[in-house]
Amino acid sequence: MKRLLVTGGAGFIGSNFVHHVVGETDAQVTVLDKMTYAANREAVDALPADRVELVEGDIAEESVVEPLVARHDAVVHFAAESHNDNSLDDPSPFIRTNLIGTFTILEAVRRHDVRLHHVSTDEVYGDLALDDPKRFTEDTPYNPSSPYSASKAGSDHLVRAWVRSFGVRATISNCSNNYGPWQHVEKFIPRQITEVLEGRRPKLYGSGENVRDWIHAEDHSSAVLAILERGAVGETYLIGADGERSNLEVVRLILTLMGRPADDFEHVNDRVGHDLRYAIESGKLRTELGWSPRFEDFEAGLADTIEWYRSHEDWWRPAKDATEATYAAKGQ
Ligand code: NAD
Ligand code: TDX
């Protein structure tokens, strides 16, 4: 794996993954990214120029994808429209990027027999009851709820079909909710941290009893690299770090870590079709590939993340007001 093409490598997790690959391997990396509102040019600029090249382009355009795939040994496919709330406001970019984009990548790796790793989400499985003792496994049936998760489910199905029908050498991973540096302020944890930094109150959708299974982006990156290097072609691996917390618990923890009363938050309009609970059973990845998470202490990881947002106001400030205006228009 000498030449690696990383789609969406300027996004939150993609940029973290490129940092991880540069530190852990000798690979030359090309980032293919459309540089949408969610891209972080600064995160890519911080990488060594002799190891990483940024190509600005759309994964749904064959004329962009084809020549790039042709000159790489493997593709790691992170690029996506990634925010559920945006998919409820306007699903169309989700269909184009997540479905047409993945199809375009698949056709190119098929033509050039290039190894592919497809990055996906646990949201393809729908949600669990709060008291369900089961967690998601690689065998859980697909049951997506939102336009975002349906588009990711569709992209997973395309990858499996290209493996079975055309012999494409692909693996898939489905990961739980990520947190860490460089996450857009539209997402739950950065939104609440920056609301507190702004002197405002965090905003919980509905009752706040919804549960997410948190993993640090750095642990997601190490898992994706392990699958790329040692995973079996055609296999799916679930990635998770046993980090189940209710949104209410997370908001109370953020407030406490930031020196504010734990109940100083407000309830806002719920997300339509809001998934209740996600939970990952990651035994296959741990047993077969020997992976384990490094950030097992969620409270410590959250404290580091709060410090990162405190010291990177120049980065998040330009996106904050427009993001909050969009939420305010929906009573969120
Ligand atoms: P993000 O929104 O932060 O980044 C997405 C990146 O993709 C951006 O840099 C954007 O510019 C780029 N992009 C969007 N459309 C593109 C296009 N048409 N062509 C090329 N580039 C395009 O997302 P993220 O949170 O880093 O998620 C990355 C991947 O991981 C996604 O596939 C997502 O479904 C998956 N995932 C995310 C999480 C999570 O908690 N954030 C959890 C599990 C899986
Ligand atoms: O202000 C908020 N208040 C709130 O209560 C926001 C923005 C969110 N929430 C809730 C909704 C969810 O229950 O917090 C939870 C997390 O919300 P998001 O950060 O929007 O994440 P989620 O919808 O769970 O999806 C995330 O994890 C799976 C990523 O955005 C996806 O890309 C990934 O696939």
Side-chain angles (χ1 to χ4, degrees):
M1 194 196 61
K2 293 204 165 34
R3 296 161 305 168
L4 192 60
L5 179 64
V6 180
T7 74
F12 161 49
I13 307 168
S15 62
N16 185 298
F17 177 74
V18 176
H19 277 266
H20 186 78
V21 164
V22 165
E24 299 292 319
T25 76
D26 296 329
Q28 286 293 127
V29 179
T30 307
V31 168
L32 169 58
D33 200 296
K34 193 177 173 184
M35 305 307 283
T36 69
Y37 78 97
N40 306 314
R41 200 174 283 277
E42 296 91 330
V44 180
D45 285 348
L47 290 157
D50 60 338
R51 297 282 307 279
V52 182
E53 180 195 0
L54 172 63
V55 175
E56 199 166 329
D58 187 341
I59 56 160
E61 283 181 22
E62 189 189 321
S63 59
V64 171
V65 169
E66 171 70 21
L68 278 174
V69 168
R71 65 177 172 89
H72 288 83
D73 305 310
V75 178
V76 181
H77 178 34
F78 286 94
E81 286 291 337
S82 68
H83 193 39
N84 275 299
D85 292 319
N86 294 345
S87 81
L88 296 162
D89 297 340
D90 177 12
S92 63
F94 290 75
I95 302 305
R96 179 179 161 80
T97 291
N98 301 359
L99 287 168
I100 309 287
T102 301
F103 162 72
T104 308
I105 302 276
L106 280 166
E107 284 292 80
V109 296
R110 172 188 173 195
R111 277 190 293 267
H112 297 284
D113 189 25
V114 167
R115 168 87 168 86
L116 171 68
H117 179 72
H118 174 65
V119 177
S120 192
T121 169
D122 59 358
E123 297 192 17
V124 300
Y125 302 116
D127 60 355
L128 298 162
L130 294 178
D131 60 356
D132 193 332
K134 287 197 297 294
R135 298 189 283 172
F136 299 139
T137 72
E138 287 78 5
D139 298 322
T140 302
Y142 275 45
N143 187 26
S145 311
S146 73
Y148 162 69
S149 47
S151 68
K152 292 296 292 190
S155 70
D156 294 6
H157 290 320
L158 292 177
V159 175
R160 286 204 187 88
W162 262 242
V163 169
R164 177 159 175 165
S165 304
F166 306 122
V168 160
R169 292 182 294 127
T171 41
I172 299 175
S173 55
N174 298 84
C175 187
S176 60
N177 283 61
N178 285 220
Y179 73 99
W182 304 110
Q183 188 169 29
H184 195 278
V185 289
E186 69 189 356
K187 303 295 197 314
F188 178 57
I189 286 180
R191 183 181 187 204
Q192 312 313 341
I193 294 171
T194 54
E195 283 297 88
V196 175
L197 290 175
E198 294 276 52
R200 295 192 294 255
R201 302 166 86 193
K203 292 164 179 68
L204 268 183
Y205 290 176
S207 65
E209 66 182 339
N210 308 65
V211 169
R212 296 295 182 264
D213 190 352
W214 294 100
I215 181 172
H216 197 281
E218 177 64 26
D219 285 330
H220 188 180
S221 293
S222 67
V224 167
L225 185 60
I227 298 166
L228 183 69
E229 291 180 335
R230 306 192 294 281
V233 162
E235 290 294 312
T236 291
Y237 300 87
L238 262 56
I239 305 173
D242 300 334
E244 277 190 72
R245 306 260 169 161
S246 73
N247 295 340
L248 185 59
E249 282 177 272
V250 174
V251 155
R252 293 176 78 89
L253 190 52
I254 290 171
L255 282 161
T256 306
L257 288 168
M258 296 182 79
R260 292 259 292 265
D263 58 358
D264 195 14
F265 58 82
E266 55 191 275
H267 292 279
V268 295
N269 287 341
D270 207 351
R271 175 182 285 171
V272 294
H274 195 175
D275 279 341
L276 198 48
R277 172 173 163 244
Y278 307 137
I280 289 267
E281 161 54 53
S282 58
K284 176 177 173 179
L285 176 67
R286 292 171 192 245
T287 310
E288 294 185 11
L289 303 187
W291 173 86
S292 59
R294 206 160 56 84
F295 291 81
E296 288 192 285
D297 182 344
F298 177 69
E299 189 168 332
L302 192 57
D304 286 351
T305 305
I306 290 169
E307 281 319 304
W308 190 89
Y309 280 87
R310 249 191 234 290
S311 60
H312 286 75
E313 184 177 342
D314 288 355
W315 174 75
W316 57 261
R317 158 79 31 225
K320 181 67 180 166
D321 290 349
T323 303
E324 287 307 318
T326 305
Y327 280 130
K330 297 184 284 187
Q332 291 183 321

